């Protein structure tokens, strides 16, 4: 049964095939329609529909024409940017076209090389096609899918589209590198059977001529080689090496002749081989002339044709302590190469060396295998893998824990999950020390670092344990930087393991230069990483405990440490957070707003914070702050959520006082906070009079009193606006404070005084006012205060709260320019919600209450009614 997707793909491919057939020209290889069917037969429908039919047909036809001539055992590679004008089809991406014999690892190796060039993959088409060619490699046409025989070739056609690259030199480099990778693949896969036969020969040699090593070591080495040959190791290269004079001794090559004399040079292995002979477990201490030289033409796979060593890779270049280990009677060497594989997987090559011994039991060289461990080597239990099982058993035996004990099971779990590459390369002693150190952590939330140095100083392996809840990309980058700096590394790689444990494990492999690897103090290294791994919440907890004690500090930390969002942590230190918590704690059980004005830090702006159970609308806050005489420079809102789901908010504003205003924060902080809160609650109006809080150092109620007098002036006919009245008062803060002082002296029951002396001071100060309008406004205020007979301003209710409204009884005869007729007495009432006036035309008078819609001059309306009433009377 054909699926809908398959039917759709078939229909699309038939359309492309039909379109391409119309453009077939004489001389082209026959069979293009059938080739197109095979070419796009497995491509996703989405990839086909995303492109024009003409471009699909042109791409397949171009690939088929490119395959017209190909010599056996070679690859055809073309990289370019096709366009309609020159090629008849186009692609928005750079196109890589390859024709080669079908081999394993082709697609992985090619895409890996393109990725190394930084070119992201956009499309990959990879049909495997049987074709017929003549003896010269000329394409004769397609063969049947199961046809075989002379002239029939099974070929891989790779059409890969990557991010567009237009630099001609870069395109040439890509072609060169792809040819090199394809040669590597050809050599590695072509010599695979020979490498497998070589492994078996080495196994037989070890049985026939046992080297002078411990029996267990010999058994495990042979078992590992057999295990590798059983599809657990991807063999990519092999070469036989001789140590020093053994290179000239035919007998040292097991009877094989060595052509020519080896020299002290081996080209750097651009094919992924281990280019640094420091990787080899050989090299004497007593001579600088010794070197490990490849024997004749023993190289196969990616080491095919290697007959020299690099001058810089002689053992004399290694530290003496390392060269001294060259002739150790150890049979097996497991390590990593210096370069990454170009085949199958982008990983550093695994190196397996088996030392060769002469009849006297001395080390004379080695068998070197390069390749990659297969997935089975990483997924199988180490107790099922030769050599590893011996290491694990040795560590468990030395630990001495009963197998079914808690510690015994934990130790087994540590070894089972130990980084597999490390398990291969780490000695039993090193593995025991590190495993016991990991076991000693016992799920404690602390930082530990375990360091293992490569015996040839080409890399340093670091196992780093950090609390899981602290692990993130930022911390990993910090640790990487610390380790690279500490060990003078030239490169690094990492893997991470995050499980149900409270600890996350990071494994760093640092690439180093032999002889240039420092030895940092392990304790200092752990301390440095621990400091880098500390979170903002950790610092907050520590500060809370320091300031509030262990019990209360930890209680606050449990409630608040994880509530602050990342944006808050990025812009605020823990000292600020502790101060904020003092305000936030007040919000938990009641719905109110807490305010705080802080001094500037490091020359920055004033900081005004609004704490509330809900965020205030910015459209309300901005005018309020502006009316209070400050400029808002920035705003940072933060929303905090506690573990129990409760939410609170912090809105932080950067403020700058008006030009020419000097603020003594100790004097005005409380007044500013109270004034803003009064506006938010609706107890005070939001207008320019509020600037007097900072300009004159008044409280919001004192400002409300001056605002009330201003409203009365408006009712009795002044032509000055309320904003002008406010700005005039702000421009003369000394007189403004004196007016408030005069009012207080006259009516505060605790300080009753007519205030003659203060009135004299005000009049003296008025003589220095240069503006006529300012003088008129300030004198009007003075006259109103002096004309006031009584007020409710200093009354308090049963709870000690002052009145919500401001009421004054005035003597109209002492108010200049008051419209006639003048009442005998007048009472004016002001509040943010209502204003009113009571005009009494005699000691005994009748009247009533009237609501007016004339907000700006309702007194005029009332005065008119009074006149009419007087006529009636």
């Amino acid at each position: 049964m054909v699926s809908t997707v398959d039917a759709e793909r078939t229909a699309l491919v038939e359309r492309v095939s039909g379109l391409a057939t119309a453009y077939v020209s004489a001389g082209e290889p026959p069979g293009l329609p059938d080739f197109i069917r095979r070419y796009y037969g497995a491509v996703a429908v989405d990839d086909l529909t995303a492109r024009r039919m003409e471009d699909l047909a042109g791409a397949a036809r171009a690939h088929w024409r490119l395959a017209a001539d190909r010599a056996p055992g070679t690859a055809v590679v073309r990289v370019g940017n096709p366009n309609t004008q020159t090629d008849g089809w186009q692609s928005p991406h750079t196109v890589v076209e390859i024709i080669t014999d079908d081999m394993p690892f082709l697609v992985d190796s090619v895409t890996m090389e393109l990725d190394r060039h930084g070119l992201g993959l956009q499309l990959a088409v990879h049909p495997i096609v049987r074709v017929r060619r003549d003896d010269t490699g000329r394409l004769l046409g397609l063969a049947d899918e199961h046809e075989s025989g002379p002239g029939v070739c099974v070929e891989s056609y790779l059409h890969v589209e990557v991010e567009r690259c237009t630099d001609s030199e870069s395109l040439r480099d890509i072609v060169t590198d792809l040819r090199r990778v394809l040669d590597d693949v050809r050599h590695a896969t072509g010599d695979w059977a020979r490498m497998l036969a070589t492994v078996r020969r080495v196994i037989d040699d070890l049985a026939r001529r046992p080297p002078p090593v411990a029996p267990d070591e010999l058994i495990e080495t042979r078992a590992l080689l057999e295990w590798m040959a059983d599809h657990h190791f991807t063999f990519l290269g092999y070469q036989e090496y001789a140590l020093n004079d053994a290179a000239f001794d035919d007998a040292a090559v097991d009877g094989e002749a060595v052509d020519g004399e080896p020299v002290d040079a081996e080209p750097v292995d651009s094919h992924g081989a281990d280019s640094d002979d420091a990787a080899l477990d050989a090299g004497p201490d007593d001579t600088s002339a010794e070197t490990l030289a490849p024997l004749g033409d023993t190289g196969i796979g990616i080491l095919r044709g290697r007959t020299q060593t690099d001058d810089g890779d002689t053992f004399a270049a290694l530290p003496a302590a390392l060269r001294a280990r060259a002739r150790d009677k150890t049979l097996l060497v497991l390590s990593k190469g210096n370069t990454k594989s170009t085949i199958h997987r982008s990983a550093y090559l695994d190196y397996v060396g088996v030392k060769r011994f002469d009849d006297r039991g001395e080390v004379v060289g080695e068998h070197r295998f390069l390749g990659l461990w297969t997935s089975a080597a990483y997924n199988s239990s180490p107790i099922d893998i030769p050599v590893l099982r011996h290491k694990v058993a040795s560590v468990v035996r030395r630990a001495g824990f009963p197998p079914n004990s808690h510690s015994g099971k934990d130790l087994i779990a540590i070894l089972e999950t130990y980084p597999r590459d490390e398990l291969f390369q780490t000695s039993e002693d090193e593995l025991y020390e590190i495993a016991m150190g990991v076991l000693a952590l016992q799920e404690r939330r602390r930082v530990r670092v375990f360091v293992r140095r490569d015996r040839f100083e080409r890399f340093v392996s670091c196992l780093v344990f950090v609390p899981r809840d602290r692990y993130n990309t930022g911390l990993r980058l910090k640790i990487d930087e610390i380790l690279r700096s500490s060990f003078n590394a030239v490169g690094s790689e990492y893997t991470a393991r995050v499980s149900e444990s409270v600890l996350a494990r990071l494994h760093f492999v640092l690439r180093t230069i032999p002889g240039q690897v420092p030895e940092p103090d392990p304790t200092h290294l752990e301390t440095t990483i621990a400091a880098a791994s500390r979170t903002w919440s950790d610092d907050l907890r520590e500060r809370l405990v320091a300031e509030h004690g262990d019990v209360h500090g930890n209680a606050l930390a449990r409630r608040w440490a994880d509530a602050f969002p990342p944006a808050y942590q990025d812009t605020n230190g823990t000292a600020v957070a502790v101060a904020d918590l003092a305000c936030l704690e007040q919000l938990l059980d009641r719905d109110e707003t807490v305010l705080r004005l802080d001094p500037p830090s490091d020359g920055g702006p004033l900081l005004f914070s609004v704490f509330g159970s809900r965020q205030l609308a910015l459209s309300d806050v901005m005018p309020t702050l502006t009316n209070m005489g400050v400029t808002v420079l920035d705003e940072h809102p933060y929303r905090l959520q506690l573990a129990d789901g409760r939410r609170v908010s912090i809105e932080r504003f950067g403020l700058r006082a008006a030009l020419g205003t000097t603020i003594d924060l100790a004097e005005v902080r409380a007044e500013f906070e109270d004034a803003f809160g009064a506006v938010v609650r609706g107890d005070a109006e939001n207008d320019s009079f509020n600037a007097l809080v900072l300009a004159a150092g008044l409280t919001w109620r004192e400002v409300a009193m001056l605002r009330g007098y201003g409203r009365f002036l408006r009712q009795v006919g002044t032509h000055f606006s309320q904003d002008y009245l406010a700005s005039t008062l702000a421009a003369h803060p000394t007189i403004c404070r004196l007016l408030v002082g005069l009012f207080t002296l006259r009516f505060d029951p605790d300080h009753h005084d007519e205030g003659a002396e203060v009135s004299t001071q005000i009049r003296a100060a008025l003589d220095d006012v240069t503006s006529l309008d300012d003088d008129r406004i300030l004198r009007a205020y003075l006259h109103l205060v002096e004309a006031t007979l009584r007020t409710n301003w200093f009354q308090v209710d049963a709870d000690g709260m002052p009145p919500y409204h401001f009421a004054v009884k005035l003597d109209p005869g002492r108010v200049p320019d008051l419209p006639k007729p003048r009442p005998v007495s007048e009472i004016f009432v002001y509040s943010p919600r209502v204003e009113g006036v009571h005009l009494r035309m005699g000691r005994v008078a009748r009247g009533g209450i009237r609501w007016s819609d004339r907000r700006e001059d309702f007194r005029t309306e009332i005065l008119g009614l009074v006149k009419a009433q007087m006529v009636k009377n």
Side-chain angles (χ1 to χ4, degrees):
M1 183 175 180
V2 179
S3 69
T4 304
V5 173
D6 289 339
E8 184 178 0
R9 181 191 298 110
T10 300
L12 286 170
V13 172
E14 286 300 324
R15 288 175 57 193
V16 174
S17 176
L19 188 63
T21 303
Y23 293 97
V24 173
S25 59
E28 288 188 13
L32 176 60
D34 286 339
F35 172 74
I36 290 179
R37 295 184 183 95
R38 299 185 193 182
Y39 195 76
Y40 291 120
V43 179
V45 172
D46 289 345
D47 288 330
L48 294 175
T49 56
R51 288 161 171 77
R52 297 191 313 149
M53 296 292 104
E54 294 82 355
D55 294 333
L56 292 172
R61 180 170 176 250
H63 215 158
W64 185 238
R65 295 178 67 182
L66 182 65
D69 290 290
R70 185 183 73 85
T74 64
V76 179
V77 181
R78 180 169 65 189
V79 180
N81 298 293
N83 62 80
T84 305
Q85 289 74 21
T86 59
D87 303 287
W89 67 285
Q90 64 182 0
S91 171
H93 312 119
T94 292
V95 177
V96 177
E97 297 166 294
I98 297 174
I99 304 106
T100 185
D101 296 309
D102 185 44
M103 299 175 286
F105 312 135
L106 271 177
V107 177
D108 290 344
S109 303
V110 167
T111 55
M112 192 166 66
E113 181 61 27
L114 293 172
D115 183 66
R116 191 181 69 81
H117 280 269
L119 301 173
L121 182 68
Q122 304 297 321
L123 174 68
V125 179
H126 177 222
I128 299 174
V129 181
R130 289 179 182 267
V131 299
R132 296 191 192 92
R133 293 187 183 273
D134 61 19
D135 294 340
T136 66
R138 186 169 63 89
L139 181 61
L140 302 177
L142 289 172
D144 293 337
E145 291 188 9
H146 303 289
E147 184 178 347
S148 60
V152 176
C153 305
V154 181
E155 298 181 341
S156 282
Y157 287 69
L158 274 76
H159 171 100
V160 182
E161 297 185 15
V162 294
E163 294 173 357
R164 195 169 186 84
C165 175
T166 57
D167 181 67
S168 57
E169 184 175 351
S170 297
L171 294 176
R172 286 193 296 269
D173 290 342
I174 293 171
V175 172
T176 301
D177 290 341
L178 286 175
R179 290 185 184 279
R180 171 177 55 79
V181 168
L182 293 171
D183 286 343
D184 283 352
V185 174
R186 188 181 303 279
H187 293 157
T189 56
D191 289 345
W192 177 80
R194 291 179 62 190
M195 287 186 277
L196 201 60
T198 302
V199 173
R200 302 197 182 282
R201 176 172 62 82
V202 172
I203 295 171
D204 293 340
D205 287 346
L206 292 176
R208 189 175 68 254
R209 294 190 302 173
V213 297
D216 286 347
E217 184 179 359
L218 177 59
I219 292 172
E220 288 299 301
T221 299
R222 293 186 69 239
L224 180 66
L225 294 176
E226 290 173 349
W227 187 80
M228 290 167 55
D230 189 23
H231 306 292
H232 294 116
F233 189 79
T234 303
F235 291 93
L236 299 180
Y238 165 80
Q239 187 135 34
E240 197 166 340
Y241 286 77
L243 179 61
N244 199 27
D245 294 337
F248 306 100
D249 185 357
D250 290 351
V253 196
D254 297 332
E256 296 181 18
V258 181
D259 297 326
E261 296 183 351
V263 296
D264 294 343
E266 176 180 351
V268 174
D269 184 11
S270 62
H271 296 261
D274 182 4
S275 62
D276 189 344
D277 276 351
L280 309 177
D281 190 30
D285 184 44
D286 56 353
T287 172
S288 62
E290 283 192 307
T291 181
L292 201 65
L295 290 177
D297 58 353
T298 58
I300 54 179
I302 60 175
L303 294 179
R304 183 189 293 186
R306 303 296 188 271
T307 59
Q308 296 180 336
T309 58
D310 194 332
D311 289 335
D313 289 338
T314 61
F315 284 94
L318 295 175
L322 300 182
R323 289 186 281 116
R325 303 179 62 179
R327 294 189 184 274
D328 285 350
K329 297 299 193 298
T330 55
L331 179 58
L332 185 66
V333 181
L334 300 175
S335 187
K336 282 282 188 180
N338 269 357
T339 54
K340 289 186 176 181
S341 170
T342 59
I343 301 173
H344 181 42
R345 199 167 71 236
S346 180
Y348 282 93
L349 287 164
D350 292 294
Y351 156 50
V352 179
V354 181
K355 289 185 180 179
R356 296 190 300 109
F357 295 80
D358 61 14
D359 294 336
R360 296 171 298 173
E362 298 297 326
V363 177
V364 294
E366 74 166 16
H367 302 281
R368 179 188 300 183
F369 297 94
L370 296 178
L372 298 169
W373 298 108
T374 64
S375 59
Y378 294 96
N379 298 328
S380 301
S381 170
I383 61 177
D384 297 328
I385 301 175
V387 175
L388 300 191
R389 64 193 178 193
H390 186 271
K391 291 183 182 181
V392 170
S394 174
V395 170
V396 172
R397 184 173 57 254
R398 290 176 63 178
F401 299 122
N404 293 324
S405 67
H406 177 75
S407 296
K409 292 178 180 178
D410 281 353
L411 180 59
I412 291 295
I414 290 169
L415 296 172
E416 288 273 4
T417 58
Y418 203 81
R420 193 52 52 89
D421 286 330
E422 278 296 285
L423 210 52
F424 275 112
Q425 300 166 42
T426 306
S427 69
E428 290 181 10
D429 291 339
E430 291 172 324
L431 182 60
Y432 173 77
E433 291 181 6
I434 295 176
M436 295 303 291
V438 175
L439 182 64
L441 281 173
Q442 292 292 341
E443 295 291 296
R444 285 180 288 178
R445 297 182 74 259
R446 57 169 297 189
V447 173
R448 282 300 309 272
V449 181
F450 300 95
V451 177
R452 184 186 69 82
R453 293 166 170 269
D454 171 50
R455 64 170 61 181
F456 302 109
E457 296 190 349
R458 295 170 310 144
F459 62 85
V460 175
S461 172
C462 298
L463 282 178
V464 182
F465 290 84
V466 297
R468 182 181 62 186
D469 55 359
R470 298 183 188 176
Y471 172 64
N472 54 38
T473 301
L475 176 58
R476 191 257 302 167
L477 293 174
K478 289 180 183 178
I479 296 175
D480 181 72
E481 178 61 30
I482 291 170
L483 294 176
R484 288 177 60 150
S485 175
S486 299
F487 291 100
N488 196 26
V490 295
S492 66
E493 291 183 315
Y494 86 99
T495 56
R497 183 175 186 269
V498 181
S499 64
E500 68 280 356
S501 169
V502 300
L503 297 173
R505 187 190 71 193
L506 304 175
H507 179 213
F508 292 90
V509 178
L510 311 171
R511 295 286 156 177
T512 54
I513 301 174
Q516 301 180 30
V517 186
E519 295 188 13
D521 177 58
T523 303
H524 176 71
L525 194 61
E526 282 187 356
T527 302
T528 304
I529 293 176
S533 68
R534 284 183 62 85
T535 64
W536 186 91
S537 297
D538 294 330
D539 293 336
L540 176 61
R541 178 183 298 274
E542 184 176 289
R543 185 177 288 272
L544 286 171
V545 170
E547 294 195 13
H548 298 282
D550 187 69
V551 176
H552 186 50
N554 278 310
L556 287 172
R558 284 191 295 271
R559 183 183 302 139
W560 292 103
D562 297 325
F564 292 92
Y568 182 97
Q569 298 177 24
D570 291 342
T571 55
N572 297 276
T574 55
V576 175
V578 171
D580 287 347
L581 283 180
C583 299
L584 292 170
E585 281 284 298
Q586 303 176 40
L587 304 174
L588 294 183
D589 299 321
R590 49 189 179 272
D591 182 13
E592 62 179 38
T593 300
V594 179
L595 310 167
R596 191 181 74 232
L597 182 65
D598 293 318
S601 59
D602 300 328
L606 288 166
L607 295 177
F608 181 59
S609 303
V610 181
F611 305 87
S613 55
R614 61 183 183 278
Q615 285 183 304
L616 300 178
L618 198 59
S619 59
D620 294 334
V621 175
M622 295 292 285
T624 302
L625 291 173
T626 301
N627 283 331
M628 294 185 71
V630 294
T631 300
V632 181
L633 302 178
D634 54 52
E635 185 253 355
H636 299 279
Y638 307 108
R639 192 70 167 158
L640 285 66
Q641 181 170 353
L642 282 72
D644 60 9
R646 285 181 293 181
R647 291 175 178 268
V648 292
S649 66
I650 302 175
E651 292 176 88
R652 190 102 68 202
F653 299 90
L655 308 179
R656 184 180 63 204
L659 188 63
T661 302
T662 301
I663 297 177
D664 184 349
L665 202 61
E667 295 289 335
V668 303
R669 171 188 282 151
E671 286 75 9
F672 186 91
E673 295 169 356
D674 289 345
F676 186 91
V679 173
V680 170
R681 295 190 305 270
D683 294 344
E685 287 199 58
N686 184 14
D687 61 17
S688 52
F689 274 92
N690 291 328
L692 297 174
V693 173
L694 292 181
L698 304 182
T699 67
W700 71 269
R701 292 194 75 244
E702 291 169 340
V703 171
M705 179 264 291
L706 295 175
R707 181 186 293 111
Y709 277 127
R711 290 287 203 274
F712 181 75
L713 287 175
R714 183 65 178 168
Q715 292 300 321
V716 297
T718 182
H719 63 276
F720 296 113
S721 69
Q722 294 296 295
D723 285 341
Y724 193 76
L725 295 177
S727 64
T728 299
L729 291 171
H732 302 279
T734 301
I735 296 177
C736 188
R737 287 191 293 269
L738 288 171
L739 288 170
V740 173
L742 176 62
F743 181 86
T744 302
L745 282 175
R746 295 192 66 209
F747 301 109
D748 186 349
D750 297 330
H751 304 90
H752 185 63
D753 187 333
E754 287 301 319
E757 182 178 347
V758 177
S759 295
T760 301
Q761 292 178 14
I762 294 174
R763 285 182 167 82
L766 287 172
D767 292 340
D768 296 328
V769 175
T770 58
S771 169
L772 181 60
D773 285 345
D774 288 3
D775 182 83
R776 291 176 63 186
I777 291 171
L778 295 172
R779 288 185 187 276
Y781 266 92
L782 174 60
H783 293 150
L784 288 179
V785 174
E786 291 178 334
T788 301
L789 301 175
R790 286 189 301 166
T791 180
N792 71 331
W793 194 244
F794 296 98
Q795 293 177 356
V796 294
D797 61 17
D799 297 325
M801 300 298 295
Y804 177 75
H805 61 283
F806 169 54
V808 289
K809 182 176 181 180
L810 299 168
D811 179 1
R814 301 182 63 180
V815 180
D817 303 324
L818 195 67
K820 295 180 180 180
R822 293 188 177 187
V824 173
S825 64
E826 182 167 348
I827 296 175
F828 181 74
V829 179
Y830 162 77
S831 79
R833 294 181 177 84
V834 64
E835 295 177 22
V837 65
H838 175 68
L839 306 181
R840 183 175 288 275
M841 305 308 291
R843 291 186 179 276
V844 178
R846 63 185 292 269
I849 298 176
R850 180 178 180 86
W851 175 263
S852 174
D853 292 325
R854 297 168 59 174
R855 299 182 58 185
E856 293 291 322
D857 63 345
F858 61 82
R859 186 181 183 278
T860 302
E861 180 182 359
I862 301 302
L863 186 61
L865 293 174
V866 169
K867 290 180 182 180
Q869 189 64 44
M870 289 175 64
V871 171
K872 292 179 181 178
N873 289 341

